[in-house]
Amino acid sequence: MSTPPTILLVEDEDGLREALTIVLRRAGYEVIESSSSAEGLRMLDRDPVDVVVTDLAMEQPLSGMAVLRHARQFAPGTEVLVMTAFGTIENAVECMRLGAYHYITKPINSEELEMLVAKAVEHQRLVRENRNLRQRVQDAYRFENIIGSSPAMLRLFEQVTRVAALDATVLLDGETGTGKELIAHAIHNKSPRAQRSFVAINCGALPETLLESELFGYVKGAFTGAATNKLGLFEEADGGSFFLDEIASAPLSIQVKLLRVLEEKETRRIGDTRSTKIDVRLIAASNRDLHAEVAAGRFRDDLFYRLNVVSLRLPPLRERREDIPLLAQHFVQKYAGRFHRPTSSVDPAAMKLLVAHAWPGNVRELENVIERAVALGAADRVRVEDLPPDVVGKPGEGPRPEALGAAKSLDEAEREFILECVKRCDGNLARAANDLGIGRTTLWRRLKRYGVQVGPEDSGSSA
Ligand SMILES: Nc1ncnc2c1ncn2[C@@H]1O[C@H](COP(=O)(O)OP(=O)(O)OP(=O)(O)O)[C@@H](O)[C@H]1O
Ligand SMILES: [Mg+2]
């Protein structure tokens, strides 16, 4: 038997608190007691609590509300039951609106209390299980730390794995914010060079002379200001991988020198007469169409062919909208953790808008939108009002039907994940539930919901 659920009981009336404690302990719960809302808040921060049972009117008429608010904000996995002496339905309704699991009117009927606490515990457990399950599903669609479950991304992950093993030069092309830098890292991390250095430079971020001295280094006295010898990045990357980001921005003079490094496999510092042999795996990225750059005479065709040994295209987000729910959920978790916010999901209306948006800035733009929504939002879900106007769009202009289809895909992903696991366990539900990290009942209910033939809940195996 696992550890008993923990109940935090907040009640200022000593006699009642003691009586309820006895009732709850007898029902098998671990009970921690508090005689004021302030102390209750502290306990809530300190101990993991499954269910809070709080009086509504203590020192002040609505002080239980503070406990409820605090729990909803900082302990989203905890359910709250409110006891109200007034029986005024308004207060009870307000509590429910703030996210209480239920309310009980005084005088407390101990059977009713036990029943509600048992239900709240069960509900809390299901919510937690669902959250774990979501996490598992997400992990299954993760490659390094790159999220994607669309066919296009799964194909890309496969290509990356294959290409990483070869030592070939890779050219990544994709619009801004599609994840080129992440893929470059993944190629390195999956390659035999993973333990060696990964050096990156953004060719668009530096003026020509600085770019040149960064790439190739210089010898002392090569030009005014060259007071010491400087190692070039190519030398620094020796044995590892070198990522040339925004390659299309490299001036033609630098392009000639890059071509030489690629052809000769050696690099020469500015002002030096000797070259150094180097062994680097080159990964280049561009968010401009290099064919067009070549046609316009801004990019050397010989360098292009050298770089374009293997080319991987990163699809824009609007071509793989089914990835948006997983990505959004991933960023919600990332920023909720970073900002210590209780945000745990995106509400369906907001998700529809996210899925429908065109995302010219691709995943980076989506990440920024979620970051802002989590930082500024007041609820434990990202809501429509937390999204910027360009995502919300013109009123009355609904999302496209195809987008609505894609919004369902987190559920679909979960369904596939569960069915796959049941299949792997040869229909043994006990084993599948164990593998999935959820209760048998939860699994059984899911299967029924999916329309899968299952026997009675307590039969050991069938599917
Ligand atoms: N599939 C993904 N999963 C998770 N995060 C992603 C994914 N794709 C992009 N990101 C995130 O989006 C942001 C932009 O990604 P990245 O810097 O790799 O884009 P890029 O293609 O290099 O863009 P640019 O051309 O503007 O340099 C980063 O914060 C990155 O972590
Ligand atoms: Mg980049």
Side-chain angles (χ1 to χ4, degrees):
M1 174 84 198
S2 50
T3 51
T6 303
I7 313 295
L8 169 62
L9 179 60
V10 191
E11 167 59 65
D12 58 347
E13 208 183 298
D14 294 340
L16 178 60
R17 192 181 62 250
E18 280 152 26
L20 295 180
T21 299
I22 292 171
V23 168
L24 291 170
R25 289 219 170 109
R26 204 183 293 140
Y29 299 109
E30 174 85 35
V31 181
I32 46 183
E33 296 173 63
S34 161
S35 59
S36 75
S37 57
E39 189 192 18
L41 297 186
R42 279 197 300 277
M43 289 179 157
L44 202 49
D45 284 342
R46 203 184 50 212
D47 303 309
V49 169
D50 294 290
V51 174
V52 177
V53 178
T54 181
D55 190 14
L56 189 58
M58 288 176 283
E59 317 85 81
Q60 289 160 8
L62 291 175
S63 53
M65 208 78 103
V67 177
L68 170 60
R69 279 214 179 85
H70 191 83
R72 295 321 300 164
Q73 189 167 7
F74 298 104
T78 302
E79 297 298 339
V80 181
L81 282 170
V82 177
M83 302 184 284
T84 158
F86 311 115
T88 54
I89 198 74
E90 290 80 19
N91 286 338
V93 167
E94 175 66 3
C95 289
M96 297 299 285
R97 206 183 59 77
L98 285 173
Y101 178 71
H102 224 291
Y103 61 91
I104 321 173
T105 39
K106 290 184 178 179
I108 304 294
N109 171 322
S110 61
E111 271 170 29
E112 188 191 2
L113 176 71
E114 268 185 55
M115 191 266 292
L116 279 173
V117 168
K119 275 190 165 172
V121 164
E122 169 69 6
H123 182 73
Q124 187 264 356
R125 202 179 51 79
L126 283 178
V127 168
R128 202 174 40 204
E129 274 185 4
N130 281 340
R131 202 174 303 138
N132 290 344
L133 191 58
R134 283 270 139 114
Q135 192 61 55
R136 298 281 300 273
V137 174
Q138 283 166 9
D139 290 347
Y141 291 114
R142 193 181 288 253
F143 178 81
E144 298 271 299
N145 48 354
I146 311 171
I147 312 290
S149 65
S150 58
M153 287 305 277
L154 295 179
R155 202 175 323 119
L156 181 68
F157 297 160
E158 243 176 63
Q159 288 170 330
V160 167
T161 310
R162 225 173 315 121
V163 161
L166 315 171
D167 223 24
T169 299
V170 180
L171 182 61
L172 303 173
D173 95 89
E175 292 176 12
T176 181
T178 46
K180 295 183 293 296
E181 192 163 342
L182 282 183
I183 293 287
H185 276 281
I187 292 173
H188 173 73
N189 291 342
K190 300 244 163 215
S191 80
R193 298 172 182 261
Q195 299 310 315
R196 312 297 296 271
S197 52
F198 176 89
V199 176
I201 188 166
N202 184 336
C203 302
L206 299 173
E208 181 169 345
T209 49
L210 210 54
L211 179 60
E212 184 178 4
S213 61
E214 284 295 312
L215 286 170
F216 307 108
Y218 47 76
V219 292
K220 187 175 166 183
F223 47 82
T224 30
T228 54
N229 290 333
K230 179 181 156 63
L231 195 69
L233 290 179
F234 271 110
E235 289 169 273
E236 219 167 276
D238 193 21
S241 310
F242 194 16
F243 178 42
L244 287 168
D245 204 357
E246 292 193 30
I247 186 81
S249 304
L252 285 164
S253 65
I254 303 271
Q255 292 177 25
V256 182
K257 294 184 170 153
L258 287 174
L259 181 65
R260 197 162 59 225
V261 175
L262 275 172
E263 287 183 335
E264 316 289 337
K265 299 199 185 326
E266 53 185 39
T267 169
R268 187 189 298 179
R269 294 186 198 177
I270 304 169
D272 206 343
T273 50
R274 289 156 311 151
S275 302
T276 316
K277 277 279 169 213
I278 49 154
D279 164 36
V280 297
R281 197 268 176 89
L282 213 61
I283 304 166
S286 172
N287 55 29
R288 281 188 240 158
D289 177 4
L290 281 181
H291 284 284
E293 295 295 304
V294 169
R298 286 188 296 264
F299 202 81
R300 292 185 65 104
D301 57 353
D302 45 7
L303 178 60
F304 175 66
Y305 295 122
R306 275 278 169 185
L307 292 174
N308 198 24
V309 178
V310 177
S311 85
L312 298 180
R313 176 176 179 269
L314 280 86
L317 196 51
R318 64 183 173 281
E319 284 178 17
R320 47 180 170 106
R321 292 182 190 273
E322 60 267 52
D323 284 339
I324 293 172
L326 277 176
L327 282 164
Q329 186 61 34
H330 168 72
F331 294 133
V332 164
Q333 271 154 2
K334 174 171 169 183
Y335 289 102
R338 184 167 303 174
F339 302 146
H340 304 287
R341 306 288 302 170
T343 327
S344 59
S345 61
V346 177
D347 85 19
M351 189 65 93
K352 275 180 193 165
L353 293 171
L354 293 180
V355 172
H357 185 57
W359 301 111
N362 294 295
V363 184
R364 180 183 293 112
E365 184 188 359
L366 173 62
E367 179 165 0
N368 292 343
V369 164
I370 300 287
E371 177 181 8
R372 173 179 172 278
V374 170
L376 304 179
D380 59 1
R381 289 167 146 221
V382 171
R383 299 155 311 167
V384 172
E385 54 263 49
D386 302 323
L387 302 177
D390 62 323
V391 172
V392 174
K394 297 181 209 84
E397 190 181 89
R400 288 194 295 281
E402 80 215 321
L404 295 181
K408 277 191 255 129
S409 84
L410 189 55
D411 289 328
E412 274 162 20
E414 198 168 280
R415 177 176 185 273
E416 276 167 27
F417 185 74
I418 289 174
L419 292 179
E420 187 53 42
C421 180
V422 171
K423 209 165 98 192
R424 213 174 41 238
C425 295
D426 296 323
N428 183 326
L429 297 194
R431 222 170 70 218
N434 191 39
D435 276 10
L436 288 162
I438 61 178
R440 276 259 297 282
T441 311
T442 305
L443 176 59
W444 186 82
R445 284 207 203 103
R446 288 302 181 99
L447 292 174
K448 271 196 77 167
R449 197 204 298 163
Y450 300 155
V452 174
Q453 283 275 312
V454 284
E457 194 182 334
D458 47 16
S459 86
S461 79
S462 83

